[in-house]
Amino acid sequence: MGMLKYALALAACAVVANVQAGTEDYKRLGERPPAGQVKTDYYRFKYTAPREVFADIEWNAFADKQEKRNTVMVIGLSGYDTYALSVLYKGPAAEGMDALAVAQSKYPNLTFAPSSNPACVSTAPDRPFALDERMVGFVAMCMDASTHGMYELNLSWRSMSLMMQPLDTLIAESSQCAADKRKDPDTRCGDRITPYAASFNTFLASFSTTGK
């Protein structure tokens, strides 16, 4: 049962897989710049490139044909090194439940806490969690104060490189690299986590709903 519950965290991955496979459920909206703002009738948020080398690469944006409140954006090299950002509408919260209660009910094997956005709770904002051997992610659950509608925010990273070393090692090396670069900006080292986490935090902190 524990693994079954944990598998719920893969829901966003299934959405992205359908998008990339070109299923009839999603319509391609075109390209968006590496950083910018998305505005819909229901919410708005800011986004940035999750990796420095993607600073000049555009995102591919998609809309859900069935649920107009869903947004999916993908950037990177499909099948090798891809980031996917999504906002998924989850319906209204049950009476008496707040964002934390909804998140814990939906994903009991993940740890959520209050975030930089008062409307949202999220997994650790500086440490992605493993979805499978090739994918990690950040997840947040946000509530519209007017409608009590719930929105799930995801920023996942799928990469073949994640198979080459444990996630804890990658996080430690990235943290050391970031510290070294703060001391000496000319330091050459690999930091895949800091810009990824910064991208998620920009997305999370800027997310707001319109009350519709």
Side-chain angles (χ1 to χ4, degrees), residues 32 38 40 43 45 62 69-73 85-88:
R32 288 197 172 114
V38 173
T40 75
Y43 51 78
F45 62 85
F62 301 84
R69 282 167 284 204
N70 289 354
T71 294
V72 179
M73 295 165 52
L85 177 154
S86 63
V87 179
L88 306 176

Side-chain angles (χ1 to χ4, degrees), residues 69-112:
R69 282 167 284 204
N70 289 354
T71 294
V72 179
M73 295 165 52
V74 180
I75 192 171
L77 305 173
S78 180
Y80 177 71
D81 197 39
T82 307
Y83 295 85
L85 177 154
S86 63
V87 179
L88 306 176
Y89 179 64
K90 296 299 181 179
E95 185 175 353
M97 295 186 75
D98 58 12
L100 181 59
V102 172
Q104 291 175 332
S105 174
K106 185 171 179 59
Y107 298 128
N109 284 39
L110 298 179
T111 299
F112 290 86

Side-chain angles (χ1 to χ4, degrees), residues 127 164-175 193:
R127 183 185 180 90
M164 300 177 184
Q165 62 183 150
L167 179 58
D168 287 346
T169 301
L170 176 62
I171 291 173
E173 290 180 352
S174 294
S175 178
I193 301 299

Side-chain angles (χ1 to χ4, degrees), residues 24-208:
E24 296 180 356
D25 295 333
Y26 289 86
K27 175 178 67 175
R28 187 173 185 275
L29 298 177
E31 296 180 337
R32 288 197 172 114
Q37 184 173 26
V38 173
K39 295 181 180 181
T40 75
D41 290 340
Y42 304 96
Y43 51 78
R44 62 188 57 189
F45 62 85
K46 296 178 181 179
Y47 66 92
T48 59
R51 188 180 176 191
E52 293 176 357
V53 296
F54 290 167
D56 298 320
I57 298 177
E58 294 178 318
W59 293 78
N60 287 304
F62 301 84
D64 188 328
K65 293 181 180 179
Q66 302 300 318
E67 177 49 75
K68 56 188 176 182
R69 282 167 284 204
N70 289 354
T71 294
V72 179
M73 295 165 52
V74 180
I75 192 171
L77 305 173
S78 180
Y80 177 71
D81 197 39
T82 307
Y83 295 85
L85 177 154
S86 63
V87 179
L88 306 176
Y89 179 64
K90 296 299 181 179
E95 185 175 353
M97 295 186 75
D98 58 12
L100 181 59
V102 172
Q104 291 175 332
S105 174
K106 185 171 179 59
Y107 298 128
N109 284 39
L110 298 179
T111 299
F112 290 86
S115 73
S116 57
N117 187 328
C120 309
V121 295
S122 76
T123 54
D126 58 349
R127 183 185 180 90
F129 63 93
L131 286 158
D132 63 29
E133 63 180 3
R134 292 186 297 171
M135 181 178 286
V136 298
F138 294 102
V139 178
M141 198 70 71
C142 305
M143 177 182 284
D144 184 304
S146 299
T147 67
H148 290 177
M150 299 302 305
Y151 291 89
E152 183 178 313
L153 280 52
N154 294 275
L155 184 58
S156 62
W157 171 33
R158 186 176 185 85
S159 175
M160 297 295 290
S161 65
L162 290 168
M163 299 179 65
M164 300 177 184
Q165 62 183 150
L167 179 58
D168 287 346
T169 301
L170 176 62
I171 291 173
E173 290 180 352
S174 294
S175 178
Q176 184 61 54
C177 177
D180 292 344
K181 285 185 174 181
R182 285 193 294 270
K183 295 178 181 177
D184 181 1
D186 293 329
T187 298
R188 297 178 63 86
C189 57
D191 179 3
R192 297 297 301 272
I193 301 299
T194 303
Y196 174 34
S199 183
F200 172 71
N201 284 299
T202 295
F203 175 32
L204 172 62
S206 64
F207 183 82
S208 63

